[in-house]
């Protein structure tokens, strides 16, 4: 019996972040898929935010995908998902925070927004964030050592890559519903996506653009009423 129990929904990008971390670390785990529109009582009993992912290990019940990934890295340090150097670790946390506080929030808000003018402002903010990732993360960190870097922090994959990847896999949703494209100048970002798509962990968890576009229909028409939509409307 594996010591880890991963409670997830394959549609969920946050759950995919932690699924990627489990696979990158080569861990054995029990996998429970739940229906987010009909959550079982046992799940509600252990998930204080009523959200996936949740990871159980003995008495530890961990939620919040980025925190699950930090926990996994601390309990199972090999292969590492965070750099050893404190300065690099701090930079990794800055980018994980940017993802959670800025990029991911913009992703949901531009979909949920039904007012044209506010939607256009949110779309511009996303393009600014993409340029910022290109110039401040990938150009200065990932490619800092003379073009050798492929990942956010350099030549090694880290939690930063795993946390960002799922919403980039779903970028087609922003294009389909809101006409937002990754700017052509973001060459490193495109190369990073291509690199990530080669990882076996990504290949084992990914879904097609059509699957994602369909999954976000209720966000785009403003009718989504789950916990995530409610949280993102006020984020
Ligand atoms: N900040 C959370 C977000 C998790 C989240 O929003 N999960 C969604 C699915 S993608 C969920 O379970 N939502 C429940 C609902 O909408 O009722 C994390 O990173 O784990």
């Amino acid at each position: 019996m594996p010591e880890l129990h991963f409670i997830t929904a394959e549609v969920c990008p946050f759950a995919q972040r932690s699924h990627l971390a489990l696979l990158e670390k080569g861990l054995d785990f029990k996998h429970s898929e739940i229906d987010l529109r009909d959550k079982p009582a046992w799940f509600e009993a252990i998930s204080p935010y009523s959200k996936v992912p949740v990871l159980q290990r003995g008495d530890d019940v961990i939620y919040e995908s980025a925190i699950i990934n930090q926990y996994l890295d601390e309990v199972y340090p090999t292969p590492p998902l965070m750099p050893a150097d404190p300065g690099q670790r701090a930079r990794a946390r800055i980018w994980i925070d940017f993802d959670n506080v800025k990029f991911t929030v913009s992703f949901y808000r531009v979909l949920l927004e039904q007012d044209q003018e506010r939607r256009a402002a949110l779309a511009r903010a996303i393009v600014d964030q993409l340029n910022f990732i290109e110039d401040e993360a990938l150009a200065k960190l990932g490619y800092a050592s003379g073009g050798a870097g492929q990942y956010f922090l350099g030549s090694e994959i880290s939690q930063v890559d795993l946390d960002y990847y799922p919403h980039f896999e779903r970028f087609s949703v922003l294009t389909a519903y809101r006409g937002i494209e990754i700017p052509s100048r973001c060459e490193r970002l495109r190369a990073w996506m291509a690199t990530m798509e080669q990882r076996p962990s990504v290949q084992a968890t990914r879904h097609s653009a059509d699957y994602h576009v369909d999954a976000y229909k209720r966000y785009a028409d403003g009718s989504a009423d789950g916990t995530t939509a409610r949280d993102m409307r006020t984020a």
Side-chain angles (χ1 to χ4, degrees):
M1 181 72 173
E3 68 171 354
L4 295 173
H5 181 197
F6 180 52
I7 302 147
T8 182
E10 63 177 351
V11 72
C12 175
F14 304 97
Q16 189 184 9
R17 288 173 167 179
S18 297
H19 199 173
L20 291 172
L22 287 160
L23 296 178
E24 288 289 340
K25 289 202 172 268
L27 295 167
D28 188 22
F29 57 95
K30 179 181 165 197
H31 181 144
S32 295
E33 176 80 20
I34 68 155
D35 180 350
L36 290 175
R37 305 200 68 182
D38 184 18
K39 298 172 194 160
W42 65 263
F43 171 72
E44 296 286 16
I46 61 158
S47 175
Y49 288 174
S50 186
K51 291 180 183 173
V52 291
V54 174
L55 183 78
Q56 285 182 303
R57 177 176 164 271
D59 292 336
D60 289 340
V61 179
I62 317 293
Y63 46 100
E64 283 297 317
S65 55
I67 291 170
I68 291 175
N69 288 1
Q70 283 166 24
Y71 175 85
L72 286 172
D73 205 40
E74 287 167 11
V75 178
Y76 308 100
T78 313
L81 283 178
M82 288 289 275
D85 172 73
Q88 280 280 69
R89 288 173 83 81
R91 277 186 279 281
R93 292 192 188 105
I94 288 167
W95 285 103
I96 292 166
D97 182 70
F98 183 83
D99 186 15
N100 284 331
V101 172
K102 302 272 192 196
F103 180 65
T104 301
V105 172
S106 302
F107 183 102
Y108 285 90
R109 290 198 56 197
V110 78
L111 286 175
L112 288 163
E113 183 59 63
Q114 302 300 306
D115 175 84
Q116 293 290 350
E117 221 166 287
R118 283 199 295 269
R119 199 188 270 176
L122 287 163
R124 284 195 295 278
I126 290 191
V127 170
D128 288 348
Q129 288 166 6
L130 295 171
N131 285 324
F132 188 70
I133 290 170
E134 174 80 9
D135 297 338
E136 292 297 320
L138 294 168
K140 292 193 183 164
L141 304 174
Y143 286 75
S145 53
Q150 300 172 294
Y151 297 103
F152 262 72
L153 302 180
S155 56
E156 300 298 327
I157 196 164
S158 72
Q159 186 189 334
V160 182
D161 304 289
L162 305 186
D163 286 4
Y164 275 89
Y165 174 76
H167 285 97
F168 278 98
E169 181 180 305
R170 289 155 179 79
F171 206 89
S172 53
V173 173
L174 299 184
T175 308
Y177 291 118
R178 299 293 179 255
I180 304 169
E181 308 265 7
I182 296 180
S184 52
R185 69 179 288 282
C186 294
E187 285 169 15
R188 295 178 183 90
L189 190 50
R190 288 167 189 280
W192 168 80
M193 283 173 71
T195 300
M196 289 301 290
E197 282 161 11
Q198 299 308 312
R199 304 285 307 185
S201 61
V202 166
Q203 290 176 1
T205 57
R206 68 171 308 176
H207 283 288
S208 68
D210 287 350
Y211 173 94
H212 293 311
V213 169
D214 188 56
Y216 280 87
K217 202 163 39 194
R218 296 181 68 254
Y219 282 90
D221 70 17
S223 66
D225 58 358
T227 320
T228 307
R230 283 202 301 276
D231 285 357
M232 291 295 179
R233 279 192 181 95
T234 53

